Amino acid sequence: MPRKTATDDLLAPVTLAVGQEDLLLDRAVQEVVAAARAADADTDVRDLTSDALQPGTLAELTSPSLFAERKVVIVRNAQDLSADTVKDVKSYLAAPAEEITLVLLHAGGAKGKGLLDAARKAGAREVACPKMAKPADRLAFVRAEFRATGRSATPEACQALVDAIGSDLRELASACAQLVADIEGTIDESVVARYYTGRAEASSFTVADRAVEGRAAEALEALRWAMATGVAPVLITSALAQGVRSIGKLASAPRGARPGDLARELGMPPWKIDRVRQQMRGWSADGVAAALRAVAEADAGVKGGGADPEYALEKAVVAVARAARSRS
């Protein structure tokens, strides 16, 4: 979920939404608009792209109205504003108009940083909307979606949903909303599997799980299904590498440590510690090393180093599954 400043007045004179995650940026805008319309049902909303905000436009939009109406002015991609328009915005920040909320959407980074700094210095309410590139971020997002509705979902269900849906935050949010609407009680892994079985079976993590468990035939079947449904090869090599590394990390961890302590030390949730423990039974140190080499070769192959990415993946899956039985 977006992180907000401590002073979180939705009707603050200026709201600054910073980041590149479109869903979170849109939600930041929707929250302000909803609050404004709750205060005044006739609120005038002006939603502008950076090229539509020309020098002088902001002054026109924020000039006093004969009817003293509340207004929300949204400026998207504020980092792309022209130098003259940035001057207008900075001037406005020094003396914002009453009954008007200015919402600036800024990608962050170096481009347009002067405007970003000026808005912060002026005391703008800020909402962080970072791109959720890491699986852990998307997992936290899913958990927050369920919490926001007051519903309970097991850790395994949240992970299964991320595995099944992938990186599209809008689709993840939609899936959470559907499950909340359709399911009573706690949402568990079986529910997610029932709703998203085709997608879950095509998940790169399903391929990796079957491979590190030594189930070569099932891993190859999952791989072919994943490739047929458009899962990117690089996602599969990434999942394989993550699965093998998890085996290696847990194998080298102190014996007898509690799952909670291991989770903190290894950077895994406790439930995953239990899953990896079950998966690592047939592994040896040599097997981990061999599997990592095979995955690295496959990764190079799918990134242009080989003529047939699918064959490179099949070789890696078989090698990982064989390594999973290296202790026996």
Side-chain angles (χ1 to χ4, degrees), residues 256-307:
R258 293 178 300 178
D261 295 334
L262 283 173
R264 284 189 293 273
E265 183 179 341
L266 302 180
M268 300 180 196
W271 65 265
K272 189 171 182 180
I273 296 287
D274 293 335
R275 176 179 289 182
V276 175
R277 269 187 174 146
Q278 293 174 353
Q279 293 174 333
M280 65 182 284
R281 289 172 182 164
W283 284 84
S284 66
D286 288 342
V288 171
L292 286 175
R293 285 195 298 271
V295 174
E297 289 175 7
D299 191 54
V302 302
K303 291 178 178 176

Side-chain angles (χ1 to χ4, degrees), residues 3-327:
R3 177 177 54 80
K4 304 167 186 174
T5 51
T7 305
D8 195 32
D9 178 9
L10 289 168
L11 297 180
V14 181
T15 284
L16 182 63
V18 184
Q20 299 179 43
E21 189 59 71
D22 289 341
L23 174 65
L24 302 185
L25 290 167
D26 285 346
R27 284 185 174 182
V29 169
Q30 290 162 9
E31 282 186 328
V32 172
V33 171
R37 285 182 169 157
D40 180 354
D42 295 324
T43 293
D44 181 19
V45 177
R46 303 295 181 92
D47 196 333
L48 307 171
T49 57
S50 57
D51 58 347
L53 195 69
Q54 297 296 317
T57 305
L58 184 61
E60 293 176 13
L61 291 173
T62 58
S63 59
S65 167
L66 179 64
F67 303 102
E69 63 185 355
R70 181 176 290 279
K71 187 178 291 186
V72 176
V73 178
I74 302 151
V75 181
R76 297 181 183 272
N77 298 314
Q79 73 278 357
D80 295 330
L81 291 171
S82 68
D84 288 340
T85 303
V86 167
K87 290 179 183 177
D88 286 354
V89 177
K90 287 182 177 179
S91 176
Y92 178 81
L93 291 173
E98 293 185 10
E99 300 297 305
I100 292 178
T101 298
L102 174 65
V103 184
L104 299 173
L105 276 59
H106 194 293
K111 189 176 183 181
K113 190 172 184 299
L115 177 58
L116 195 62
D117 292 341
R120 286 168 172 162
K121 187 175 180 180
R125 166 184 173 264
E126 184 169 343
V127 184
C129 306
K131 198 74 177 174
M132 295 194 177
K134 297 179 181 178
D137 294 336
R138 296 192 287 274
L139 183 59
F141 171 80
V142 167
R143 289 171 177 162
E145 288 291 286
F146 286 125
R147 278 199 304 271
T149 62
R151 295 296 300 278
S152 176
T154 67
E156 293 84 358
C158 294
Q159 183 66 57
L161 197 58
V162 171
D163 291 349
I165 301 298
S167 60
D168 191 312
L169 228 59
R170 292 186 189 279
E171 289 196 32
L172 280 170
S174 176
C176 291
Q178 180 180 20
L179 290 170
V180 165
D182 292 355
I183 303 299
E184 295 183 0
T186 299
I187 297 164
D188 59 23
E189 192 174 13
S190 65
V191 169
V192 175
R194 187 165 74 247
Y195 269 69
Y196 300 99
T197 180
R199 299 181 70 159
E201 287 171 2
S203 163
S204 55
F205 288 99
T206 300
V207 178
D209 282 342
R210 299 297 172 268
V212 299
E213 289 162 5
R215 296 153 67 179
E218 292 177 43
L220 287 170
E221 182 181 357
L223 172 64
R224 287 166 190 143
W225 180 263
M227 297 294 288
T229 54
V231 176
V234 69
L235 294 180
I236 297 172
T237 56
S238 176
L240 284 168
Q242 184 176 323
V244 176
R245 287 195 196 103
S246 295
I247 298 285
K249 283 182 180 179
L250 193 56
S252 60
R255 293 185 178 277
R258 293 178 300 178
D261 295 334
L262 283 173
R264 284 189 293 273
E265 183 179 341
L266 302 180
M268 300 180 196
W271 65 265
K272 189 171 182 180
I273 296 287
D274 293 335
R275 176 179 289 182
V276 175
R277 269 187 174 146
Q278 293 174 353
Q279 293 174 333
M280 65 182 284
R281 289 172 182 164
W283 284 84
S284 66
D286 288 342
V288 171
L292 286 175
R293 285 195 298 271
V295 174
E297 289 175 7
D299 191 54
V302 302
K303 291 178 178 176
D308 188 343
E310 187 167 349
Y311 176 64
L313 286 172
E314 287 180 354
K315 279 182 63 180
V317 164
V318 171
V320 171
R322 185 182 298 121
R325 300 183 180 280
S326 56
R327 184 184 291 178

